[in-house]
Amino acid sequence: MFLVFNPYAQGQVIWIIAGNDRNLTRLAHSTYGELVGPTPFPQPEVNLFRPESAVVGGIVFFELSDVGGSLLPIAKAEYFDGTSWVLIGEDDGFDPDYDVERSTRTIMWDTYGLPSGWYIIKITLYDLIGQTGEIAVRIYVDQPPIPQVQVVSYNPETGYVSFDASESYDPDGEIVEWVWDFGDGKTAEGPIVEHHYDLEYLLMPIVVSVTLADDKGISEKKEYVFSNGSIKEEFVPEVKAIREKIDKLLKMYEDLKSLSDAQTGELKELLSDASSSALYAGSDLTYPLTDLVAFKDIDKAIEGIEKVKSEIKNIVDTLSKAKDLATTQNLKDQIQSHIDKLHEIWIQLQFVYGKLNLIKMIGTQAHGAEIDVPDVRIGDGSYYTWCTSTITLLRSDVWDTDVILHELDHYIWHEKAKNELAGGGHWIDEHLGDRKYKEYLKAAEDMLKAAGLPPNVPQAIKDHLKDLAEEEGKKLALSEGWAHFSMAVKQKDPEYWDKEPGNNDDVRFDIEKGKYWKESENKWVNATNKGEDVELSIAGILWDLFDGAANGVNDQDNDGVSIDFKHIWCAINEKKDSKGKVVRSPPNNIKEFYKNLIECLKEAGVPYDKDKVDKVFKNHGVTP
Ligand SMILES: [Ca+2]
Ligand SMILES: [Ca+2]
Ligand SMILES: [Ca+2]
Ligand SMILES: [Ca+2]
Ligand SMILES: [Zn+2]
């Protein structure tokens, strides 16, 4: 590698494109001797489209693709620290399950705390036969401003509030812009601002934000909950989510009222019932929310949400009857659109419910406001797409609490651990490594066929695919096992039940008993597979670590192990030191989880019986 320009020179930023006629020489070699004839994999060529600017601050994403659009390249980014190349991250993008989403590679760079200045970044794409493509770019790392906000004055009778962000600072420059969003649709600029709220906005908590931009053009946004004259950093996502639901419910109340005014007879009555229920549900949400923000009582907030959830089910029942009675297609469609909105509100309240339960178990300090409430859409199945942080739900799953919490737990773990999740088809009682290998081999054979070659995958590539498949199978088993377990813990119930009315395809299993329900034969059957790449084994291990006297959950195995959820949560997530450096990574498989768990228990000074803990793993076919 040879760089012909001076990386520390001032002036225009040069984006260097790989190619023999440019500043960098592209390397190409083949490591596997078995391949003859034309290579099935075109040589990788880097196409970098993010970051868009040469000046960055905070968390930076490198997004790139292979110019040829191949699925195979693995991306790596490094920066030059003056003497050597330091790894930023890698994205092993080989995953036939994600041929649409994974056509790009994403590498995250956490620049908080790095010295400000110009950095040379080298990005390399590798493919499975050892070919590489490279580019280098020059990027200026800036430290973003650090916001600090106070309420200076507040008058609940007039609605006047003054906010002060003048204590905010920029570690390596100056703040040049302060932009406020008061949460009521109004904005203002300046370090100290006075705002007048319509009094109705002050009845319940509201999210206020300030965005600070520095002299390099890098900005930092921070959101706060403003309630009863004070601001707090906690519960921003919950307040935002519930606030949005209240607005929707109140809008629905108006819509249904005008809809019912235009009708006659039974239909009018039903629509008017639905309308007053919507009003009731909307106003009822504000009480638990106030308690929540005042940190009074999370249980009360959860109880309030449960009440509103059952009220929403009632409105949907009423609306379904009204829809049957409606005489025009137009009216039927209007009513259906209200039902759709209510489904969405109900799902979002389930998310808030799930999050509040998590906060209850791990405490507000460990929680942080960084995990937002996810987006959801109704689609062709129920799954979580980690690269877009979106949950998709099947329409027949909208009332299935277990399914919703399972997908929420994929989301929360992913958002918290910032890890890549494994994806693809899976069943609780199978070796996922075997499934993955079959899929990978088929993908490789298809690529050879597409290149006009006989589908004989060289042994070296087969071995490589086998390794990848085993790793990925264990990763998928951990991801699914975690979501089953976390769903179960929130409800203190080890059974998962995805109901599918009318069909014989309910998905129902018990992670304590290791059994699943065969709906067609109306009986429970024992799972037959065990091990690191079997999701029911992973869910079983996690549940057995948790169940028992200390957590107030009956343990049929009586294994003498009952670990507080917060230590299990510790083991599934990363740990950073005081400088923000990652000192423990989220686990990729159950054995790595075991290692983390022992560390977490030691750090917390919690005594544990190693033999008993090991036995829990061994019972499920895993030797830690
Ligand atoms: Ca700065
Ligand atoms: Ca269902
Ligand atoms: Ca047990
Ligand atoms: Ca136990
Ligand atoms: Zn899942």
Side-chain angles (χ1 to χ4, degrees):
M1 248 288 304
F2 176 63
L3 295 170
V4 293
F5 69 103
N6 176 0
Y8 301 103
Q10 296 297 312
Q12 275 299 105
V13 173
I14 312 157
W15 294 84
I16 301 164
I17 310 300
N20 291 335
D21 54 339
R22 304 291 177 94
N23 305 45
L24 291 174
T25 305
R26 206 161 55 184
L27 306 168
H29 58 269
S30 176
T31 51
Y32 295 120
E34 292 91 333
L35 278 176
V36 287
T39 161
F41 312 127
Q43 183 173 9
E45 203 180 319
V46 187
N47 179 22
L48 178 68
F49 44 93
R50 246 183 22 147
E52 284 174 339
S53 158
V55 182
V56 297
I59 303 288
V60 182
F61 289 96
F62 294 99
E63 269 182 8
L64 62 143
S65 65
D66 179 20
V67 171
S70 160
L71 280 176
L72 286 166
I74 294 159
K76 180 167 106 175
E78 297 153 289
Y79 72 84
F80 196 66
D81 71 355
T83 45
S84 57
W85 292 101
V86 180
L87 182 69
I88 293 172
E90 279 180 308
D91 183 359
D92 170 354
F94 183 74
D95 190 345
D97 304 318
Y98 283 108
D99 54 352
V100 180
E101 292 101 319
R102 302 304 314 281
S103 63
T104 59
R105 305 283 166 271
T106 305
I107 296 170
M108 194 183 84
W109 190 23
D110 182 352
T111 69
Y112 282 102
L114 274 183
S116 310
W118 288 101
Y119 286 78
I120 296 292
I121 313 292
K122 180 170 73 171
I123 289 163
T124 315
L125 283 177
Y126 300 82
D127 71 14
L128 281 181
I129 57 171
Q131 302 180 113
T132 61
E134 281 186 353
I135 60 164
V137 293
R138 198 168 69 124
I139 284 181
Y140 187 88
V141 170
D142 173 62
Q143 294 304 314
I146 298 180
Q148 291 189 353
V149 171
Q150 287 175 300
V151 178
V152 193
S153 66
Y154 166 61
N155 186 332
E157 272 141 45
T158 60
Y160 278 98
V161 190
S162 293
F163 296 104
D164 180 356
S166 59
E167 298 274 288
S168 310
Y169 64 96
D170 184 64
D172 59 358
E174 277 172 58
I175 298 173
V176 296
E177 198 178 67
W178 295 257
V179 178
W180 298 84
D181 184 331
F182 300 111
D184 60 352
K186 302 201 182 92
T187 58
E189 285 183 34
I192 302 171
V193 287
E194 187 184 50
H195 181 60
H196 178 251
Y197 278 104
D198 287 341
L199 289 178
E200 57 171 302
Y201 275 98
L202 297 175
L203 293 176
M204 42 191 172
I206 192 164
V207 173
V208 174
S209 76
V210 65
T211 305
L212 307 174
D214 72 8
D215 50 346
K216 309 283 190 321
I218 294 296
S219 60
E220 183 84 0
K221 178 180 180 180
K222 186 141 185 177
E223 294 176 315
Y224 302 87
V225 170
F226 177 62
S227 176
N228 301 325
S230 66
I231 53 166
K232 291 182 197 301
E233 292 179 28
E234 286 86 1
F235 296 118
V236 168
E238 286 79 8
V239 169
K240 266 167 104 173
I242 298 183
R243 187 100 204 182
E244 206 180 287
K245 301 320 139 209
I246 294 170
D247 290 348
K248 273 197 187 159
L249 277 166
L250 295 183
K251 171 84 178 42
M252 205 174 291
Y253 157 74
E254 296 294 340
D255 288 356
L256 289 169
K257 221 169 66 176
S258 58
L259 210 55
S260 86
D261 287 348
Q263 309 305 323
T264 52
E266 198 184 340
L267 183 56
K268 182 185 172 83
E269 219 166 89
L270 283 171
L271 288 170
S272 139
D273 279 357
S275 152
S276 46
S277 292
L279 181 65
Y280 167 73
S283 61
D284 207 43
L285 266 176
T286 64
Y287 297 106
L289 181 58
T290 309
D291 289 339
L292 171 72
V293 172
F295 297 136
K296 270 191 213 146
D297 193 344
I298 290 187
D299 283 327
K300 207 166 157 194
I302 292 172
E303 195 186 298
I305 287 171
E306 288 290 86
K307 245 169 77 189
V308 176
K309 268 166 49 192
S310 68
E311 189 61 33
I312 287 177
K313 272 196 157 178
N314 291 339
I315 312 176
V316 170
D317 279 350
T318 310
L319 285 177
S320 301
K321 284 180 205 140
K323 193 183 155 195
D324 290 344
L325 279 177
T327 46
T328 67
Q329 190 56 42
N330 184 28
L331 183 55
K332 280 184 197 290
D333 290 347
Q334 280 187 55
I335 295 173
Q336 183 59 45
S337 91
H338 285 300
I339 293 175
D340 289 349
K341 271 187 229 163
L342 286 165
H343 280 160
E344 192 202 318
I345 293 173
W346 197 84
I347 293 163
Q348 294 276 328
L349 289 175
Q350 286 285 55
F351 291 158
V352 176
Y353 163 90
K355 273 198 67 182
L356 293 181
N357 268 291
L358 182 66
I359 293 166
K360 216 174 100 180
M361 289 187 282
I362 60 180
T364 52
Q365 296 312 311
H367 159 64
E370 75 277 17
I371 312 170
D372 212 336
V373 179
D375 288 334
V376 67
R377 63 183 188 98
I378 301 295
D380 55 344
S382 291
Y383 50 88
Y384 172 61
T385 311
W386 67 265
C387 39
T388 53
S389 298
T390 321
I391 290 173
T392 306
L393 279 185
L394 204 59
R395 184 169 291 285
S396 57
D397 287 345
V398 289
W399 303 129
D400 287 333
T401 299
D402 292 351
V403 178
I404 294 171
L405 291 181
H406 173 102
E407 302 308 337
L408 174 73
D409 285 319
H410 278 312
Y411 166 83
I412 288 181
W413 184 33
H414 170 63
E415 287 294 303
K416 182 75 189 170
K418 293 290 172 214
N419 56 347
E420 265 184 30
L421 298 181
H426 58 93
W427 164 240
I428 48 164
D429 184 23
E430 70 171 331
H431 285 284
L432 294 169
D434 296 349
R435 173 195 279 248
K436 291 274 167 210
Y437 180 58
K438 276 184 208 141
E439 290 171 358
Y440 289 1
L441 196 58
K442 179 161 186 313
E445 285 169 356
D446 288 348
M447 279 183 210
L448 287 166
K449 279 187 216 158
L453 292 166
N456 305 323
V457 179
Q459 192 56 42
I461 290 186
K462 276 189 178 170
D463 292 346
H464 185 83
L465 293 180
K466 182 99 187 144
D467 291 348
L468 280 178
E470 268 169 23
E471 253 175 59
E472 201 68 1
K474 290 173 192 170
K475 199 171 174 183
L476 180 56
L478 180 63
S479 168
E480 293 305 330
W482 170 261
H484 299 323
F485 162 68
S486 194
M487 170 284 305
V489 163
K490 289 189 180 68
Q491 304 175 90
K492 297 215 165 165
D493 172 10
E495 189 182 310
Y496 176 96
W497 195 355
D498 169 3
K499 294 174 189 165
E500 288 298 296
N503 299 326
N504 267 340
D505 45 14
D506 281 22
V507 178
R508 187 181 181 193
F509 52 87
D510 188 315
I511 63 174
E512 168 71 343
K513 296 191 184 114
K515 287 173 186 243
Y516 58 91
W517 176 252
K518 254 202 168 145
E519 198 188 1
S520 55
E521 293 167 31
N522 210 25
K523 65 172 189 195
W524 285 94
V525 292
N526 288 320
T528 49
N529 293 301
K530 273 185 180 184
E532 282 178 81
D533 64 346
V534 178
E535 62 185 70
L536 202 53
S537 298
I538 306 304
I541 290 171
L542 296 169
W543 180 257
D544 284 342
L545 291 171
F546 177 81
D547 68 2
N551 290 310
V553 176
N554 178 42
D555 178 9
Q556 296 187 351
D557 315 299
N558 212 0
D559 54 26
V561 178
S562 182
I563 297 172
D564 193 315
F565 180 81
K566 65 172 178 276
H567 306 305
I568 300 174
W569 175 251
C570 164
I572 204 87
N573 287 298
E574 69 178 15
K575 184 191 174 189
K576 287 181 173 175
D577 66 12
S578 57
K579 292 193 186 79
K581 193 173 157 259
V582 176
V583 290
R584 183 167 57 234
S585 299
N588 287 305
N589 54 56
I590 193 70
K591 283 189 180 170
E592 289 179 14
F593 168 85
Y594 172 84
K595 215 177 122 265
N596 284 2
L597 180 68
I598 299 298
E599 280 182 27
C600 287
L601 290 169
K602 282 185 180 155
E603 280 165 20
V606 176
Y608 63 95
D609 184 327
K610 187 176 178 298
D611 290 343
K612 284 183 180 167
V613 171
D614 287 4
K615 192 150 182 295
V616 166
F617 286 74
K618 285 179 194 149
N619 286 344
H620 295 277
V622 176
T623 308

